[in-house]
Amino acid sequence: MSKIHFIGGEKGGVGKSLMARVLAQYLIDRQMPFIGFDTDRSHGALMRFYAGYASPVLVDRYEALDAIVEAAVDQPDRRVLVDLAAQTHDPLVRWMDESGVLNLLDETNSQVHYWHVMDAGKDSVDLLKKLLDRFGPSFKYVLVRNHIRGSDFSVLEQSGEQARALSFGAKVVTMRKLHDTVIQKIDAASISFWNAREGDNDATLGLMDRQRLKMWMRDVYREVDDVEV
């Protein structure tokens, strides 16, 4: 079965690219073959940190987006990972509607997982509502509660949208906070989580920073394990 993983959330700064990097490293560590697509024209995280696995794709060109589906259908043994930049929902919907993407994926026994990355604010909840209103149970949803961008998700819990997503079979993943200096050092060095974690021939992180990173990745991986990527 082919599996396409869209990592979105529409809003900028909620941690979409960080989640995409985590998933890329998770698939590498779990020895699950994958191909990545990066829709961010200027700050593509997969292209920057996992260039050997990713290629750019422009959401305003149907021919480019078609490559996502074709990769999934042609290489069912590989997961397809798509890092969605902010403000890509509308062109993505137009492409899906006008090209009959969901019908084709259903015919080819392909699954679409949509990772909706959220901060603790109301905007993320409103965008989740928009997503659920448009696609209903067509996607396998994963709600990523990013504690790096806030720890109080009561707005989400009280909105009814999390409950609605759960009624569609959604999973909830918590990405707990990582010490600020750790991620800042990794980003400044433009290295993968593997290089930062292992520290081979690299002095980006000290011993304790690497340990904090390992503990954080262990916890996030446990959450991702439940999704069955």
Side-chain angles (χ1 to χ4, degrees):
M1 177 180 289
S2 302
K3 292 185 178 182
I4 300 175
H5 294 274
F6 288 109
I7 299 89
E10 191 67 356
K11 182 180 176 183
V14 294
K16 298 182 296 296
S17 292
L18 178 61
M19 189 68 233
R21 289 159 59 189
V22 169
L23 278 178
Q25 191 61 60
Y26 176 91
L27 293 171
I28 293 169
D29 288 344
R30 294 291 193 264
Q31 298 183 334
M32 297 177 177
F34 77 98
I35 180 171
F37 291 96
D38 203 321
T39 67
D40 195 319
R41 296 171 185 261
S42 57
H43 301 95
L46 289 182
M47 290 298 297
R48 178 181 172 191
F49 297 96
Y50 293 92
Y53 298 86
S55 57
V57 61
L58 302 178
V59 294
D60 53 1
R61 290 184 54 200
Y62 282 13
E63 295 84 359
L65 289 170
D66 289 347
I68 297 171
V69 173
E70 290 166 359
V73 174
D74 293 344
Q75 304 178 63
D77 58 321
R78 292 179 179 270
R79 275 72 172 171
V80 176
L81 193 62
V82 186
D83 185 7
L84 295 173
Q87 308 301 315
T88 55
H89 176 86
D90 290 341
L92 193 71
V93 168
R94 283 195 298 272
W95 167 67
M96 287 186 168
D97 284 347
E98 296 180 15
S99 306
V101 170
L102 293 181
N103 288 337
L104 176 60
L105 291 175
D106 185 57
E107 291 170 3
T108 57
N109 196 31
S110 303
Q111 287 184 351
V112 177
H113 294 252
Y114 193 103
W115 299 66
H116 184 75
V117 185
M118 311 180 69
D119 62 16
K122 186 176 183 298
D123 286 349
S124 282
V125 177
D126 292 342
L127 290 168
L128 174 60
K129 181 180 186 305
K130 179 181 178 181
L131 181 69
L132 297 177
D133 285 347
R134 176 61 189 80
F135 290 106
S138 298
F139 290 161
K140 290 185 174 295
Y141 298 100
V142 184
L143 308 188
V144 182
R145 298 169 23 145
N146 183 8
H147 282 227
I148 297 174
R149 295 288 183 262
S151 58
D152 182 1
F153 284 83
S154 58
V155 173
L156 170 64
E157 293 163 355
Q158 295 168 11
S159 68
E161 297 307 325
Q162 178 173 279
R164 181 157 67 123
L166 291 173
S167 74
F168 294 151
K171 301 286 188 177
V172 178
V173 167
T174 297
M175 185 159 60
R176 71 175 182 84
K177 185 175 176 59
L178 176 63
H179 197 274
D180 290 341
T181 59
V182 175
I183 195 66
Q184 288 167 3
K185 290 176 182 177
I186 295 171
D187 288 356
S190 295
I191 58 176
S192 70
F193 283 126
W194 188 91
N195 284 331
R197 181 185 65 199
E198 302 303 324
D200 291 350
N201 301 316
D202 181 81
T204 298
L205 300 182
L207 175 64
M208 291 309 300
D209 277 344
R210 286 203 306 274
Q211 180 66 11
R212 280 185 280 271
L213 176 62
K214 290 176 182 178
M215 298 296 286
W216 178 77
M217 293 180 69
R218 180 204 64 184
D219 290 345
V220 177
Y221 279 16
R222 286 174 176 171
E223 298 276 328
V224 175
D225 282 339
D226 190 46
V227 177
E228 299 179 353
V229 298

